[in-house]
Amino acid sequence: MARKSMATKTRAPSTARQKAPRRRATAKSMASQQREISVSEFFTKNRHLLGFDSPTKALLTTIKEAVDNSLDACEEAGILPDLEVAIEPAGGDRFRVVVTDNGPGILKGQIPKIFGKLLYGSKFHRLRQSRGQQGIGISAAGMYGQLTTGKPIVIESRTSKRRPAHRYELVIDTRKNEPVVKKDTTVDWSAAHGTRVEIELEGVYRGGRHGVETYLRQTVLANPHVEIAFRPPGTTEADEPVLFQRASKVLPVEAHEIQPHPYGVEIGLLLRMLKETRATTLKSFFQTEFSRVGPTLARRIAEGSGLTSRTSPRRVSPERAELLLAVIRKSRIPAPPMDCLSPIGEERLLESLEEQVAAEYYDAVTRSPAVYRGNPFQVEVGLAYGGELGADDLATVCRFANRVPLLYQQGACALTKAVLQTNWRSYGTQQSRGALPSGPLLLMVHIASVWVPFTSESKESVAGYDEIIKELKLALQHVGRKLGAHLKRAAKARDSERKRQYIEKYIPHIGIALREILDLSERQEERVVRTLTGTLERSRKM
Amino acid sequence: MARKSMATKTRAPSTARQKAPRRRATAKSMASQQREISVSEFFTKNRHLLGFDSPTKALLTTIKEAVDNSLDACEEAGILPDLEVAIEPAGGDRFRVVVTDNGPGILKGQIPKIFGKLLYGSKFHRLRQSRGQQGIGISAAGMYGQLTTGKPIVIESRTSKRRPAHRYELVIDTRKNEPVVKKDTTVDWSAAHGTRVEIELEGVYRGGRHGVETYLRQTVLANPHVEIAFRPPGTTEADEPVLFQRASKVLPVEAHEIQPHPYGVEIGLLLRMLKETRATTLKSFFQTEFSRVGPTLARRIAEGSGLTSRTSPRRVSPERAELLLAVIRKSRIPAPPMDCLSPIGEERLLESLEEQVAAEYYDAVTRSPAVYRGNPFQVEVGLAYGGELGADDLATVCRFANRVPLLYQQGACALTKAVLQTNWRSYGTQQSRGALPSGPLLLMVHIASVWVPFTSESKESVAGYDEIIKELKLALQHVGRKLGAHLKRAAKARDSERKRQYIEKYIPHIGIALREILDLSERQEERVVRTLTGTLERSRKM
């Protein structure tokens, strides 16, 4: 029918064709233009999607990607992270960024692809909280450096005392998205293990809330177990680095990899899993490839779709697969296991707020985990109030995703939206509609998830899934209510203190007056004053 | 030095290591996890980056991608586009989207990759205005369909009367990002040429400002030469389709491909071009690979860097390349050619506003082209005021990029920001700070460029490069000022009309009075009234 109606329509153009000034392209000439686009070509042209749209941001993003990788590696290996971040001027608007860690190091064979190929990594395919998740970051930073300075990315890494440290100089062949090794040597390296990444790029070094130092401070805030020595541009070897010290020697709980949860699976994925699985029966397929599916449930799913436990997954037709999915959605299946998450935790949040922020009231809450589109996630909020925090400014909101500070696109971010949508007035703080609360208030808002849905590859803000916003608001309301109570108590205390002072101030005069009137001895006067004070104090307290 | 300071640091962790509850991962175990990530796997997991984050949006995005391709193809071939867009319910929350065009068709051999592989296309590598630019859209839509319904994407295409129409059923192997042909047949097709794309997907059909119908209406608004027959869900073959008629039979001016402009080139790209060029001398390299470089300039650049016109590009060292770039940046080079752009044009903008919007005042302006990061771009603004436009609402802003309506992420978009940053109060319209102007006002804001910098792959909003915002504001101020003048004139006219009415109303009574006082004849009275009216009219006009 579509065809038919087109038949009549297509008369028009043929006439229009004659009208056209001259013959333009044909199917043939267009075909000759078709080409594959490598992912590195794509992101070179779309660098702003990766956070390289301005020189200031480019410098920050580069450091961020290197630090993320170092911290992930250290924690995976159970090592307390000691990082050094150095920014060395390299002439004109160029800087050399050097990030050195004490992590487990990287096997020689892996170095080229990890740093010289986009979309390559260990974190994309597993369900487990980590800072990196895309396999783009560090190689993109290297690519940006190469693009703006022509210089290769330099990696040194050592995995053990018994092995030498390897040194690579790499560039990316952007046409192929493949690493090209320019130099491959060994160097001596005094530490037993660790990795050093050096990238030269065009950038601008700035302070302020989007600056590198803010990023590092917030990193330590959300990662109290991390220590970072920072050498800003212009510091010499002689100078002591700026030291961001750890507030705790306890490593975060290790996050464990989980299988996908049945509720999160769509037909397309299910069909692919059925095709790719090593399992030979439906029963073992569901038990091994999914979380929370035991033998009984596996059998029920298979039989509920008119198949048997022993049916071979490869034999399942698309129509049957749909039935399987229907049964799954009807079955009651417990939430996915949550040990794939590693939140900061209320205790650490408090520790690190107290360490880093000079306030007079602190609070923190870690919600129990929830699920969006089958992905476990968990939100936490830390709060600091009063003290040296600016009383007249808007509240400071520090956003974190999987312990990584988010400095850009605050407006577009679900974490910010949740703060805006919370009614802070009812907790005794100022707030004009649609705005952040104002007053001496600092909020840490953290989402931890096996898959944080970022609004772009630059991972600057979190997409606003309803489940996520809801959890965030509950956490914010929790700390908000307690803040409200605290402010009430404080007000009351101030008030009664004032009353007490009145009494102290005036009773003595009454004493003196009485003494003159009744001409009492000093001791009598004192007694009168004492009793009066006591009585009044008691009455005041009622 | 970085090394040294690490040496001391690395003591801590080793102790920390013993503290760690149990040995975690090692460099070796981590290496075993490293894997390549295919671009289709990446976007399957990050579908929201492509505009598939909600079922409503998914349906719109799918149609948008298909329509974009059809229009690009028709225009490239010099064919007046006749499209049919049908949305057929396919059970439950599923729809079958069918887009049929009268374009030049697609060669058999190209069909699988164009529709079954992400990052494949003809538009990414050339500098020339077109709707598509990434080589992702339509294959991503197919992939989303496959993911949510398990159904293949179906393509029928015919390139000429002399050839049969081919029919393909494709799925994407997301692990490899390669097409898998499920069926390959020929069908009879009554039109001489054209393409039909059918995608079944999970979606929600909605009206409203984010709806398909709005999108189609705005498409015709920005493309007056296009005609679209729309079959919304639930319409049968018997029903007439909703017809969006063309306002003009004139095809847009053809956009021509240009070479990159020297100012837009960075060292990394220059090095690659020097390596890949077919040119054997620097002189011919600069003349053939760049726009706006003639023989003299080419020679000056070469010699300015201590090389000669005859130096072989492959022989240029990175250091020399830097010099070349320095010389280029110092040289005065004319702006890139602008025939790579094809704006709508003031005349067409007016035509189509008058055709589609019932207002009482219309205006349009097309700015002359400008350049950002070496990319030519051009902005246009159409304005309609009064008539049936809602007087109490905020202004309606229709955003377009390369003639494609943008329906989502209005807040994040440079086009919106430019409207917000324009001071509409000074043009006689209401506007509260930070908000859109209010009143019976509709604005069409269009950016045409060889490379529109979108804030995400879903191409929903434009990144705020300064040059772009500046041009937009100039265009908006231009139409704004003229609107202001118009509104003043109108007010004045109303005012004098009122005065005239007073005169008409009262003079006759004066006549009657005089007649009685001086007891004049009817004729005398008439004369008096006439002269009085005349005199007052004249005086009023002074």
Side-chain angles (χ1 to χ4, degrees):
Chain A
M1 134 286 217
R3 206 73 37 68
K4 190 143 152 301
S5 67
M6 289 308 298
T8 54
K9 289 180 164 302
T10 40
R11 275 192 219 94
S14 40
T15 61
R17 183 80 109 334
Q18 281 119 41
K19 271 223 249 63
R22 60 202 166 70
R23 195 75 178 77
R24 293 182 177 178
T26 64
K28 197 143 173 294
S29 66
M30 289 185 204
S32 66
Q33 300 256 10
Q34 298 287 353
R35 263 187 57 186
E36 179 161 356
I37 301 145
S38 95
V39 65
S40 11
E41 288 178 306
F42 178 76
F43 281 118
T44 305
K45 216 165 167 182
N46 280 319
R47 65 180 68 170
H48 57 279
L49 297 182
L50 297 175
F52 294 98
D53 38 348
S54 85
T56 320
K57 210 163 154 186
L59 184 62
L60 176 68
T61 304
T62 303
I63 289 170
K64 210 172 161 215
E65 297 299 349
V67 169
D68 284 359
N69 289 351
S70 290
L71 295 183
D72 276 343
C74 287
E75 288 167 19
E76 244 186 284
I79 299 170
L80 264 184
D82 276 309
L83 268 54
E84 178 174 281
V85 175
I87 306 178
E88 304 159 6
D93 47 7
R94 295 185 177 184
F95 292 94
R96 197 174 308 104
V97 167
V98 184
V99 175
T100 316
D101 67 41
N102 61 332
I106 302 167
L107 289 196
K108 186 175 189 306
Q110 285 299 328
I111 292 175
K113 290 202 158 183
I114 290 176
F115 295 92
K117 181 182 180 58
L118 269 63
L119 289 181
Y120 184 88
S122 59
K123 302 163 193 172
F124 181 87
H125 290 97
R126 63 184 187 195
L127 288 176
R128 173 186 187 290
Q129 173 183 336
S130 57
R131 294 171 181 80
Q133 59 185 34
Q134 304 179 142
I136 293 183
I138 193 63
S139 37
M143 192 169 76
Y144 177 80
Q146 171 182 340
L147 190 72
T148 52
T149 70
K151 295 281 191 301
I153 175 172
V154 183
I155 301 97
E156 298 177 2
S157 189
R158 186 179 192 186
T159 56
S160 106
K161 282 188 227 58
R162 294 180 308 284
R163 289 205 194 69
H166 292 288
R167 185 175 198 279
Y168 271 104
E169 292 186 18
L170 297 174
V171 295
I172 299 187
D173 176 338
T174 49
R175 285 251 187 261
K176 301 205 196 79
N177 185 35
E178 286 295 341
V180 179
V181 177
K182 289 287 184 182
K183 268 198 201 150
D184 171 357
T185 57
T186 66
V187 289
D188 54 350
W189 173 289
S190 50
H193 52 84
T195 302
R196 178 181 183 275
V197 181
E198 176 184 324
I199 296 174
E200 189 171 323
L201 71 154
E202 231 173 67
V204 168
Y205 179 74
R206 283 242 180 77
R209 40 189 275 272
H210 289 168
V212 173
E213 216 166 318
T214 306
Y215 159 73
L216 294 175
R217 182 167 301 104
Q218 290 194 16
T219 300
V220 179
L221 188 64
N223 300 272
H225 62 292
V226 170
E227 191 150 295
I228 301 177
F230 175 47
R231 295 185 175 278
T235 47
T236 71
E237 293 199 25
D239 305 322
E240 269 304 303
V242 183
L243 195 62
F244 298 93
Q245 268 169 319
R246 61 169 55 88
S248 151
K249 284 207 164 215
V250 186
L251 273 169
V253 191
E254 186 176 10
H256 297 286
E257 183 173 357
I258 61 165
Q259 300 286 51
H261 190 272
Y263 285 163
V265 175
E266 286 160 307
I267 183 68
L269 179 56
L270 180 60
L271 289 170
R272 192 174 88 187
M273 291 174 79
L274 285 163
K275 202 168 106 265
E276 294 178 349
T277 182
R278 282 212 204 72
T280 55
T281 72
L282 266 187
K283 183 150 170 292
S284 65
F285 168 70
F286 280 111
Q287 281 185 254
T288 53
E289 307 269 337
F290 294 91
S291 62
R292 297 307 195 207
V293 183
T296 338
L297 179 57
R299 213 190 65 252
R300 265 203 276 106
I301 297 173
E303 292 171 354
S305 333
L307 303 163
T308 78
S309 304
R310 288 182 319 288
T311 311
S312 150
R314 269 165 219 65
R315 291 254 184 61
V316 177
S317 69
E319 295 64 29
R320 288 292 180 187
E322 300 246 15
L323 285 176
L324 287 171
L325 216 50
V327 179
I328 286 172
R329 296 200 170 139
K330 277 208 288 326
S331 323
R332 294 187 61 261
I333 307 174
M338 297 303 175
D339 58 356
C340 54
L341 299 177
S342 169
I344 303 168
E346 298 175 355
E347 196 188 330
R348 296 269 158 288
L349 274 168
L350 285 174
E351 260 179 24
S352 103
L353 278 172
E354 283 160 10
E355 167 89 19
Q356 310 256 354
V357 184
E360 68 198 11
Y361 172 82
Y362 302 89
D363 191 15
V365 60
T366 301
R367 300 267 311 159
S368 45
V371 178
Y372 83 92
R373 277 192 34 214
N375 300 316
F377 75 100
Q378 191 164 12
V379 309
E380 324 180 77
V381 171
L383 178 150
Y385 189 92
E388 292 171 17
L389 291 164
D392 313 331
D393 325 348
L394 290 178
T396 309
V397 179
C398 305
R399 298 171 293 137
F400 301 89
N402 287 0
R403 297 168 170 263
V404 180
L406 311 178
L407 298 193
Y408 281 92
Q409 289 190 32
Q410 172 150 345
C413 184
L415 306 188
T416 315
K417 285 185 189 127
V419 176
L420 292 172
Q421 289 170 24
T422 306
N423 175 8
W424 294 92
R425 260 189 259 82
S426 64
Y427 307 136
T429 61
Q430 305 282 331
Q431 182 184 30
S432 44
R433 76 198 318 274
L436 289 173
S438 55
L441 178 62
L442 178 141
L443 288 165
M444 277 178 75
V445 189
H446 180 219
I447 175 172
S449 178
V450 295
W451 184 258
V452 179
F454 290 107
T455 58
S456 99
E457 289 87 343
S458 58
K459 309 205 285 182
E460 294 166 335
S461 68
V462 178
Y465 282 91
D466 297 345
E467 302 89 332
I468 293 176
I469 298 267
K470 180 172 158 263
E471 278 298 313
L472 286 164
K473 282 166 76 176
L474 288 171
L476 288 160
Q477 285 157 3
H478 178 88
V479 292
R481 270 191 303 276
K482 282 166 69 189
L483 174 64
H486 164 76
L487 292 176
K488 271 209 197 64
R489 271 198 308 281
K492 204 155 163 227
R494 271 196 308 282
D495 180 55
S496 78
E497 171 58 18
R498 212 175 41 253
K499 288 203 190 121
R500 211 180 48 62
Q501 284 166 352
Y502 284 138
I503 295 172
E504 277 187 343
K505 195 161 157 203
Y506 297 115
I507 298 265
H509 300 281
I510 301 177
I512 295 160
L514 288 171
R515 179 182 173 188
E516 282 165 4
I517 301 163
L518 315 173
D519 125 54
L520 309 169
S521 73
E522 290 217 356
R523 199 174 326 85
Q524 292 173 302
E525 177 193 345
E526 273 167 28
R527 199 166 64 257
V528 173
V529 171
R530 254 204 322 285
T531 18
L532 267 176
T533 315
T535 335
L536 288 172
E537 273 292 329
R538 274 193 301 285
S539 70
R540 179 175 71 76
K541 291 213 177 84
M542 284 167 199
Chain B
M1 135 279 217
R3 207 76 33 73
K4 192 145 153 301
S5 68
M6 288 308 299
T8 54
K9 290 181 163 298
T10 40
R11 276 189 220 96
S14 43
T15 60
R17 184 90 105 327
Q18 280 120 40
K19 269 222 244 70
R22 58 199 167 73
R23 193 73 177 83
R24 294 182 179 181
T26 64
K28 197 138 173 297
S29 67
M30 288 185 205
S32 66
Q33 298 255 11
Q34 298 288 350
R35 264 188 56 185
E36 182 162 355
I37 301 146
S38 95
V39 64
S40 5
E41 287 178 303
F42 178 75
F43 282 118
T44 305
K45 216 165 167 183
N46 280 318
R47 65 180 70 169
H48 58 278
L49 297 182
L50 298 173
F52 294 97
D53 38 349
S54 85
T56 320
K57 209 163 155 187
L59 185 63
L60 176 70
T61 304
T62 303
I63 289 171
K64 212 173 158 212
E65 297 297 350
V67 169
D68 284 359
N69 289 352
S70 291
L71 295 182
D72 276 343
C74 288
E75 288 167 19
E76 244 186 284
I79 299 170
L80 265 184
D82 276 309
L83 269 54
E84 179 174 280
V85 175
I87 306 178
E88 303 159 6
D93 47 7
R94 293 183 179 185
F95 292 94
R96 197 175 305 104
V97 167
V98 184
V99 174
T100 317
D101 68 40
N102 62 332
I106 303 167
L107 290 195
K108 186 176 191 301
Q110 286 297 329
I111 293 175
K113 290 203 158 180
I114 290 176
F115 294 91
K117 180 179 179 64
L118 268 62
L119 289 181
Y120 184 87
S122 59
K123 301 162 195 172
F124 181 86
H125 290 98
R126 65 183 183 195
L127 288 175
R128 175 185 185 289
Q129 173 184 336
S130 57
R131 294 171 181 80
Q133 59 185 33
Q134 305 180 141
I136 294 183
I138 192 64
S139 36
M143 192 170 75
Y144 178 80
Q146 170 182 340
L147 190 71
T148 53
T149 70
K151 295 281 191 301
I153 175 171
V154 183
I155 301 98
E156 296 177 5
S157 190
R158 187 181 191 187
T159 57
S160 108
K161 282 186 226 60
R162 295 180 306 283
R163 292 209 190 67
H166 292 288
R167 185 175 198 279
Y168 271 104
E169 293 186 17
L170 298 173
V171 295
I172 299 186
D173 176 339
T174 48
R175 285 253 189 259
K176 299 205 197 79
N177 185 35
E178 287 294 340
V180 179
V181 177
K182 289 286 184 183
K183 265 195 203 153
D184 171 358
T185 56
T186 66
V187 289
D188 55 346
W189 174 290
S190 51
H193 52 82
T195 302
R196 178 181 182 275
V197 180
E198 177 184 323
I199 295 175
E200 189 169 322
L201 70 152
E202 230 174 67
V204 169
Y205 178 74
R206 284 242 182 76
R209 40 185 275 273
H210 288 167
V212 173
E213 225 171 309
T214 307
Y215 160 73
L216 294 174
R217 181 167 303 102
Q218 291 194 14
T219 300
V220 179
L221 189 65
N223 301 271
H225 63 291
V226 171
E227 191 151 297
I228 302 176
F230 176 47
R231 295 185 175 279
T235 47
T236 71
E237 292 200 28
D239 305 322
E240 269 305 301
V242 183
L243 195 63
F244 298 94
Q245 269 170 318
R246 61 168 54 85
S248 151
K249 285 207 162 212
V250 185
L251 273 168
V253 190
E254 187 176 7
H256 297 285
E257 182 172 358
I258 62 167
Q259 301 286 49
H261 190 273
Y263 286 164
V265 175
E266 288 161 306
I267 184 67
L269 178 57
L270 180 60
L271 289 171
R272 193 174 87 187
M273 291 174 80
L274 285 163
K275 202 168 106 263
E276 294 178 349
T277 182
R278 283 210 205 76
T280 55
T281 71
L282 266 188
K283 184 151 168 293
S284 65
F285 168 70
F286 281 110
Q287 281 185 257
T288 52
E289 307 267 340
F290 293 91
S291 61
R292 297 304 194 209
V293 183
T296 337
L297 179 57
R299 213 190 63 250
R300 265 201 277 108
I301 296 174
E303 293 171 355
S305 331
L307 303 164
T308 79
S309 303
R310 290 183 315 288
T311 311
S312 151
R314 267 164 220 68
R315 290 258 186 61
V316 176
S317 69
E319 295 66 29
R320 289 289 179 188
E322 300 248 15
L323 285 175
L324 287 171
L325 217 51
V327 179
I328 286 172
R329 299 205 166 135
K330 277 208 278 348
S331 322
R332 297 187 59 261
I333 308 173
M338 297 302 175
D339 59 355
C340 54
L341 299 176
S342 169
I344 302 168
E346 297 175 356
E347 195 188 330
R348 298 266 157 290
L349 274 167
L350 285 172
E351 262 179 25
S352 100
L353 280 171
E354 282 159 8
E355 168 91 18
Q356 310 254 356
V357 185
E360 69 199 10
Y361 171 83
Y362 301 90
D363 192 14
V365 60
T366 301
R367 299 268 311 160
S368 44
V371 179
Y372 83 90
R373 276 195 33 214
N375 299 314
F377 74 100
Q378 193 163 12
V379 309
E380 327 182 72
V381 171
L383 178 152
Y385 189 91
E388 293 172 16
L389 290 165
D392 313 331
D393 325 349
L394 289 179
T396 309
V397 178
C398 306
R399 299 173 293 137
F400 301 90
N402 287 359
R403 296 167 171 265
V404 180
L406 311 179
L407 299 194
Y408 281 91
Q409 290 189 31
Q410 172 150 350
C413 185
L415 305 189
T416 315
K417 285 185 190 126
V419 176
L420 292 172
Q421 288 171 24
T422 305
N423 175 7
W424 294 93
R425 262 189 257 83
S426 63
Y427 308 136
T429 62
Q430 306 282 331
Q431 182 183 28
S432 43
R433 73 195 322 273
L436 289 173
S438 56
L441 178 63
L442 179 140
L443 288 166
M444 276 178 74
V445 189
H446 181 219
I447 176 173
S449 177
V450 295
W451 183 258
V452 179
F454 289 106
T455 57
S456 98
E457 289 87 343
S458 58
K459 308 205 285 182
E460 294 165 332
S461 69
V462 178
Y465 282 92
D466 298 344
E467 301 89 332
I468 293 175
I469 299 265
K470 179 171 159 266
E471 278 297 312
L472 286 164
K473 283 168 75 176
L474 288 171
L476 289 161
Q477 285 156 3
H478 178 88
V479 293
R481 272 191 304 275
K482 284 166 69 189
L483 174 64
H486 164 76
L487 293 176
K488 272 209 197 64
R489 271 197 309 279
K492 204 158 164 226
R494 271 197 307 283
D495 181 53
S496 79
E497 171 59 16
R498 211 174 43 254
K499 287 203 190 121
R500 212 180 47 62
Q501 284 167 353
Y502 283 139
I503 295 172
E504 278 185 344
K505 197 159 155 209
Y506 297 114
I507 299 264
H509 300 280
I510 299 176
I512 295 158
L514 289 171
R515 180 185 175 185
E516 283 166 1
I517 299 162
L518 316 172
D519 123 51
L520 309 168
S521 73
E522 288 217 356
R523 205 182 313 94
Q524 290 172 306
E525 179 193 343
E526 274 167 31
R527 200 168 63 256
V528 172
V529 169
R530 256 204 318 284
T531 15
L532 267 176
T533 315
T535 335
L536 289 171
E537 273 293 326
R538 276 193 299 285
S539 68
R540 179 175 72 75
K541 290 212 175 89
M542 284 170 199

